[in-house]
Amino acid sequence: LSKFSNRVVINRNTPSESQIQEVRYNRRLIDQVIRSRTSAMQEFRVNPAEGNTSSPSDQGLVTIQAICCPIATENNIFGVIYLDTFGTPALEGVEFTRDKLQLMIAISNHAAIKLEHQALEAERIAQERFAAVGELTSVISHRDNNILQIINGGSYLIDVGMESSDYVLVDKG
């Protein structure tokens, strides 16, 4: 689970110089989604000053809704898409519904298929390159083998010609 540490947050309602900010998220929800490989929608309460989840009885807490979907195919899990209403004025008062969850599932499935396709394409290109290298090596080794066989045959003729004092055979070698 620790390999999913990169997070990207873009808030369209803030100026560009303040885009880089601390990322707050519900780690328990993300861990549950990664483990179960199923999407989830959850409501929880947060202290806006600290960003920590607390018990519902605490004063000054804000209710946040979150949707989390795995970006996963049958064989691979690439990460998760996490969306919540915390700190986004445009999302204040917005309720996440089953329809919005279904939309996020469709988006995450499409992203997973695209990522897997990209990985398979890279693997296919690597295999084609290995095949081309193998073919080139085969041609070169065949030609080198022919040269070595000629040298071996010539040295054999020279040796036989020297032993029998047959200088015509030595010339052929």
Side-chain angles (χ1 to χ4, degrees):
L1 298 178
S2 63
K3 70 179 180 177
F4 298 116
S5 60
N6 297 329
R7 293 173 293 279
V8 178
V9 170
I10 298 174
N11 186 345
R12 294 185 300 174
N13 301 316
T14 59
S16 61
E17 62 270 2
S18 63
Q19 282 292 329
I20 299 171
Q21 56 185 327
E22 181 181 342
V23 178
R24 297 178 184 193
Y25 58 95
N26 186 331
R27 184 65 193 194
R28 278 182 264 149
L29 177 60
I30 291 174
D31 289 343
Q32 171 195 344
V33 166
I34 291 171
R35 264 193 312 277
S36 67
R37 296 174 66 109
T38 58
S39 301
M41 185 169 49
Q42 189 177 42
E43 187 174 287
F44 54 96
R45 297 177 62 93
V46 144
N47 183 342
E50 300 172 12
N52 297 328
T53 55
S54 304
S55 66
S57 63
D58 292 342
Q59 295 294 328
L61 296 180
V62 176
T63 300
I64 296 173
Q65 289 187 340
I67 293 177
C68 190
C69 297
I71 301 174
T73 59
E74 197 168 314
N75 301 323
N76 299 318
I77 183 162
F78 299 101
V80 296
I81 297 176
Y82 174 82
L83 177 66
D84 68 24
T85 58
F86 184 73
T88 308
L91 292 177
E92 287 179 10
V94 171
E95 286 190 30
F96 290 146
T97 62
R98 290 305 260 176
D99 291 339
K100 291 176 183 168
L101 178 63
Q102 292 298 322
L103 176 62
M104 284 287 285
I105 291 170
I107 291 169
S108 67
N109 288 341
H110 184 71
I113 290 169
K114 194 69 173 169
L115 287 170
E116 187 169 60
H117 175 71
Q118 186 178 20
L120 291 172
E121 184 70 18
E123 184 179 326
R124 186 185 63 78
I125 289 171
Q127 287 176 349
E128 284 179 3
R129 287 182 181 156
F130 286 137
V133 168
E135 190 174 316
L136 178 63
T137 304
S138 172
V139 169
I140 291 171
S141 68
H142 181 70
R143 290 184 180 168
D144 286 347
N145 190 24
N146 287 347
I147 292 169
L148 292 173
Q149 287 296 340
I150 291 169
I151 290 171
N152 191 23
S155 64
Y156 174 76
L157 289 176
I158 291 171
D159 288 342
V160 170
M162 291 298 282
E163 287 176 11
S164 65
S165 298
D166 185 358
Y167 297 110
V168 175
L169 194 58
V170 171
D171 284 340
K172 288 182 181 180

